Structures are given as C-alpha cells and as structure tokens.
Amino acid sequence: MITTATRAEVCVAACARAWHGDGEILASPMGTVPTIGARLARATVAPDLVLTDGLAQIIDGDVALGAPTADLTVEGWLPYRAVLDLLASGRRHVMMGPAQIDAYGNANISCVGDWERPKRQLLGARGAPGNTVNHATSYWVPRHSRRVLTSRVDVVCGVGNDRAAALPGPAARFHDLRQVITNLCVLDFDTGDGRMRLVSVHPGVTVAEVVEATGFDLVGPEGAGEALTGGVDVPTTPAPTTQELRLIRDVLDPRSLRDREVPA
Amino acid sequence: MTEKRMTADEAVSRIEDGMTVGVGGWGSRRKPMALVRALLRSPVKDLTVVSYGGPDVGLLCAAGKVRKAVYGFVSLDSIPLEPHFRAARESGAVQALELDEGMFLAGLRAAALRLPFMPVRGGIGSDVPRNAPFLRTVTDPYGSGDEVMAAPPLELDVALVHANLADPRGNAALTGPDQYFDDLFCLAAKTSYVSAERVLPTADLRRAAGCLHALVVHRYLTAGVVEAPRGAHFTECPPQYGRDEAFQQAYARAAADPREWAAFADRFLDQPDEASYQQAVDEFHAARADRAGGAR
C-alpha cells in the first residue's frame, strides 16, 4: 500500500532528478539520501549512470543501501586513484554535503573560523576544489539553516559561480554547479548571474520558512532582480511517483536509513 | 640478495628530526600503524607528515611529533573528524598545508617523476592557494589561455606503508580492494619502509597474493621490511581484517578529554613494543566480551 511520501522520500526523489539526463557517467553521492537518490536515478530516469559501492567497486543492479559487499554484482574496479583521474576527465556528477554554502555556491568543508587557528576544524578541502572545476556538482543539505546557507563561507573548498567567473580565460570552462537540494526545497543557479534560486519547496514547506532559514537573499522563480520574500508563489517539489516510492521503500532502502538523515 | 628484514623500531630509528614522512593508506584504512606506534616510542620530533590523513596524523599530532601536516583531509571514516588533528589545528599547534586531493596526488606524481611541478586543474578558484600563498598557477604554454595549478612536488625523506604480504627483499603485495597511493608514496620518497601482515619467501609471494596485479611495491623502492601482524590496527586491512570500530570509538572518546587520553595512552601506547600493544588490545576486547557476557 502506498501512503503519502515522507519528507525523506521527497528529498530522495529530488536528489534522483539531479542526475536526470547525465548519461553514462559516474554518479558520486555523499550522504544517505543522495546515495539512495543516485540509485533511484539509475532505476528510473538515468539508466546508464555508473555507481560504486562507495569504495572501490563499480556495482550493477538495484541494490539496497548497506547490502553486503559479497552480494553485489561488480562491473568494474575503481580505486581512489582511478576516481581522481576520472574526475579530471569530467565524466562525473558529484553531490557533496557542505558545512557552509553561500549565494553563489561557494562551499566549505574545511574549517570554521580563522584558517590559521580555526574555531572548528572539519574534514579539509578533500576533493571539493577539483570536483567543482572539473565536472557537474550538486549539493545536499539535510538541515537547511542560516548556519549552513550563509552569506559568507569561511573557506572556499567548492568553487562558486562568482569565483569561477573571475578565473582567467577558459580556466573555468568545466565548472558546472547544478542544484542544491535541502530538507526544505530545491535550489539551482539558473539566474544569469550565478546566484542561488529557489526552484521549488517540498510539500508542506512554505516559502517564508525557506527565506527565514536562509542567510542570504534568494532569487525567486522569476529570476534575478527582487529578493525573494515569503509572499511569492513558488512551485511545489513533485512528490515521488508510485513507482519511485515502491523502489525507495521495497528495493533501495528497506531499512529506512533515509529517516535518520531527514526525520519525518 | 639483500635481506631487509628489521623491526619497526629499527626502521623508524633511521628517521631524523625535521624529516618529511609520507604515510600510506587512506583515512582509517590500511595505515602502517605499527610503524606509527614505533614513531611514537622514538624521540624523533618536528616532522612534516604527508598523508591522506587518518589516525596516523592524529596520533603523531597528539604526541607532539608534528610540525606541519600536509593533507587533503584527515578522517577516521566511520567517525568523520579526527579528534587529535582537530585539537591540534584548533590550538594552532601544527602548521597545515591543505591541498585538494587531486593536487595531493599530482604532488606525489611530480615528486615520483622528479618534475618541478605537475599541472592540475583542481585548486584553481578555491581557497587552497589563498591559504598556501606559495602555490602558483601556470598558463598553457601552447597558447589556449588555460590556467591551472602547478602542484609542487611532495618530496618525501621517508615513506611508511603497510602491505598484506611481503618478502624479505622488500617486494610487497597489496591484495585489498584499493591499493590507495602506497607505491607512489614509495616512489616519491628517498627511502621507504614496508610493514606487512606476513613475510614469506619470494617464491610464495605471487601464489599467496592470488593475483599478479597485487604486487605493486617492488624491492628497488624499499629499504626495510617489518613483519607486523595486525600492523594496521585499528584501521582496516582487508582481506585480513576490518576496522576495529570498538577500539576506534574508545580512541576517539578518550581523545576528547585530556585525563582519559592520558589513561588511554598509558594503557595502549606507552608500551615497550608492538607485542605489548597487541596484548593490551586483546585484553581490551576480552574485557568488553566479559562485560557483554555479564549483561546477559
């Protein structure tokens, strides 16, 4: 029996659609909801996507999150060194989880506060600088807040649209920020000036809530110009289809690990 | 035939104050932890540590051995943030050269190939060069106008790596699903030491490895071979063993509090040798099993 989709399921389906039309490239999701989303994308709108077990194996088939490695059908070997070379070739669309992200999509996973002596050390730049200047990049924010969607990030790890535009000559020609999906809404950068735009709010979320939880002015669906306010109409994120819900619940995430990342 | 077997303490006794030490593995995966523990026992200091960082970086920071850390990230994998590394950064105790992971790889390749730099796209436009102002870009000499980072060579005095198998001459096999960058670390270093779960005769190496492709660390790269069963503990070393998650959790919990850390270090690290460490780990698990038994 199909009941109404949970917020986590709406997020999974929204993440899946971020890979729509990507063809035969590596999808690299980081986090639980994006991982289910990438597998859902391959099961539906992007059948040629290449997916790994998160480690060194390229895996075939629609497999449940956390399925034992021994049960997987392996179609290739992709150790980290090969991933770093593959990403420079551009055949990849990553979805990363930023600690901070600003209006132009500059993203921080390195540290909060002063670089020399940070208030809080995080992971480090990891592959974010290389990812963002080499291939398509999207972001997943499980807790949309002013702390994460902030007016200024402390360290630019993932390169934003303003930084990319300032690079000389053709240096930024592979820079391609696609979407930011949060527990509240879907955003993109399709504004002409590279600023973040509110594309849709998830069912049950108001535009005012999103505006309140965002530390910078968002662009509305009409495009650049006026800052978005709570009074503007914005589309609702499409709920998962019956087929998508069945895949999420019965096949890809039967243990509902998605609810730990986005509580109902 | 040069016989290169030695103890972990002998291997690290060749490391001098101020040296640049590359550490193989990745995060909390197949780290040469027995060699790192030998470093902790040694008087060496002021090291520059070059690593896809995990508890190797954390432990060396906690012991005050690190002047500078060169990394793309430092993580315990199942615990995202390395507590000792965090503390070292937040107290300003270590210098940091934080690179994009691909730039780190390019730097190892530059050093391995004896090149002055390696062009790489990753890093440009980010704060990596802002936080390391000595980094430079290069413009395409063929006229496209394209500009990329010039990754500096990560030249290592010493590389430390842990293998699944080795022979006494310094050939080693990495038989797990990911070999990470261990052969490159060795190639980028003046001198490399390999520890291994098992040291066996050369004649048996290929059969034991199961696949020719696993034999990627060669004797012209390595100056010493250390037999160190469970030598990657508490990081994983597949196919021999997974990560010791219970122990890693105990490590991370203890790291959060100076008194608990002193007790942890006393119990596990302030030991005369690796065998005593491994025994303390066995006792840790025996005590946990007893508690679990008592709870039933």
Side-chain angles (χ1 to χ4, degrees):
Chain A
M1 190 188 76
I2 297 292
T3 51
T4 310
T6 64
R7 181 66 59 78
E9 289 162 348
V10 170
C11 292
V12 167
C15 286
R17 288 174 198 130
W19 280 286
H20 192 175
D22 274 352
E24 204 153 30
I25 62 158
L26 177 68
S28 289
M30 297 172 192
T32 300
V33 163
T35 299
I36 306 165
R39 291 182 187 189
L40 181 63
R42 185 166 70 178
T44 56
V45 295
D48 291 330
L49 276 186
V50 176
L51 295 175
T52 73
D53 58 357
L55 301 170
Q57 301 185 133
I58 301 176
I59 55 168
D60 189 28
D62 299 331
V63 292
L65 204 63
T69 309
D71 297 353
L72 305 176
T73 300
V74 175
E75 58 170 315
W77 182 38
L78 200 67
Y80 278 121
R81 195 183 311 192
V83 173
L84 290 173
D85 288 341
L86 162 65
L87 78 83
S89 87
R91 296 173 177 86
R92 185 170 183 242
H93 179 173
V94 72
M95 187 177 285
M96 297 187 285
Q100 299 175 321
I101 187 165
D102 72 12
Y104 289 95
N106 294 292
N108 176 20
I109 52 173
S110 171
C111 67
V112 175
D114 178 44
W115 163 257
E116 294 298 332
R117 191 171 169 174
K119 202 157 61 196
R120 187 167 167 79
Q121 174 67 34
L122 304 173
L123 204 52
R126 273 220 72 173
N131 292 344
T132 45
V133 295
N134 276 302
H135 56 62
T137 301
S138 293
Y139 289 99
W140 159 244
V141 178
R143 277 179 299 277
H144 188 140
S145 73
R146 283 173 174 263
R147 204 163 49 88
V148 180
L149 285 88
T150 178
S151 61
R152 192 186 151 278
V153 305
D154 290 318
V155 183
V156 175
C157 302
V159 176
N161 288 319
D162 54 345
R163 289 286 193 100
L167 286 172
R173 66 192 183 283
F174 306 123
H175 183 263
D176 181 11
L177 298 190
R178 296 278 179 86
Q179 292 195 339
V180 180
I181 292 146
T182 80
N183 60 323
L184 301 182
C185 62
V186 176
L187 306 130
D188 69 11
F189 300 92
D190 203 7
T191 48
D193 65 353
R195 279 171 57 214
M196 209 185 285
R197 175 178 78 142
L198 183 59
V199 174
S200 66
V201 290
H202 299 338
V205 177
T206 66
V207 174
E209 251 178 279
V210 172
V211 169
E212 175 58 32
T214 305
F216 49 83
D217 287 344
L218 284 165
V219 178
E222 301 306 314
E226 301 277 299
L228 181 71
T229 64
V232 175
D233 275 344
V234 171
T236 302
T237 307
T241 64
T242 306
Q243 184 212 7
E244 285 173 327
L245 272 183
R246 188 189 62 75
L247 282 163
I248 295 168
R249 293 176 182 178
D250 300 344
V251 180
L252 302 175
D253 185 27
R255 291 195 288 150
S256 277
L257 298 174
R258 60 193 179 277
D259 295 333
R260 293 191 202 167
E261 202 164 72
V262 181
Chain B
M1 174 185 116
T2 308
E3 150 76 50
K4 296 176 185 166
R5 268 185 289 198
M6 59 180 66
T7 66
D9 294 299
E10 282 167 346
V12 306
S13 72
R14 319 254 185 105
I15 300 176
E16 295 165 21
D17 290 356
M19 277 189 168
T20 297
V21 179
V23 186
W26 168 282
S28 190
R29 307 180 201 180
R30 203 167 40 70
K31 283 287 174 180
M33 297 298 280
L35 295 172
V36 169
R37 286 186 281 271
L39 266 180
L40 300 178
R41 290 192 294 272
S42 82
V44 77
K45 57 182 191 303
D46 292 332
L47 298 176
T48 293
V49 176
V50 178
S51 177
Y52 287 94
D56 52 328
V57 175
L59 278 164
L60 292 169
C61 284
K65 303 284 191 193
V66 181
R67 185 174 56 82
K68 183 175 179 182
V70 181
Y71 60 92
F73 64 86
V74 183
S75 171
L76 298 174
D77 290 296
S78 54
I79 299 170
L81 305 180
E82 214 303 331
H84 286 308
F85 173 69
R86 268 190 55 203
R89 281 280 287 139
E90 291 168 12
S91 69
V94 296
Q95 293 175 41
L97 173 56
E98 184 173 294
L99 302 173
D100 167 73
E101 277 170 46
M103 195 197 284
F104 188 113
L105 169 58
L108 283 180
R109 282 177 170 153
L113 304 180
R114 302 185 296 176
L115 289 168
F117 67 89
M118 182 72 78
V120 63
R121 199 171 294 283
I124 197 157
S126 77
D127 277 349
V128 165
R130 186 167 296 194
N131 293 329
F134 77 95
L135 292 173
R136 291 288 176 270
T137 61
V138 286
T139 303
D140 176 9
Y142 298 108
S144 72
D146 202 356
E147 187 171 311
V148 296
M149 295 303 306
L154 296 178
E155 290 161 343
L156 310 173
D157 293 306
V158 174
L160 304 176
V161 301
H162 184 71
N164 304 87
L165 301 165
D167 73 6
R169 309 163 75 185
N171 296 300
L174 307 177
T175 63
D178 201 320
Q179 300 172 328
Y180 307 116
F181 305 85
D182 289 14
D183 55 320
L184 259 181
F185 273 97
C186 294
L187 212 50
K190 292 193 190 86
T191 312
S192 304
Y193 298 93
V194 57
S195 58
E197 291 296 312
R198 195 150 62 91
V199 176
L200 69 186
T202 305
D204 298 333
L205 191 60
R206 177 179 172 163
R207 190 182 41 77
C211 175
L212 177 64
H213 302 170
L215 274 60
V216 293
V217 176
H218 312 302
R219 60 187 166 83
Y220 55 76
L221 294 172
T222 50
V225 177
V226 176
E227 186 164 58
R230 271 206 313 189
H233 182 271
F234 48 91
T235 71
E236 66 170 28
C237 186
Q240 274 81 19
Y241 47 89
R243 186 178 302 125
D244 187 344
E245 296 288 0
F247 190 91
Q248 176 162 289
Q249 273 178 30
Y251 163 82
R253 258 200 314 273
D257 178 90
R259 277 220 312 261
E260 278 189 51
W261 178 249
F264 184 95
D266 181 59
R267 182 175 172 192
F268 296 107
L269 303 174
D270 302 339
Q271 297 280 356
D273 53 29
E274 177 70 11
S276 311
Y277 168 83
Q278 294 289 354
Q279 193 187 329
V281 171
D282 285 340
E283 286 162 7
F284 166 84
H285 284 293
R288 285 184 81 245
D290 279 352
R291 277 202 301 279
R296 271 203 272 311

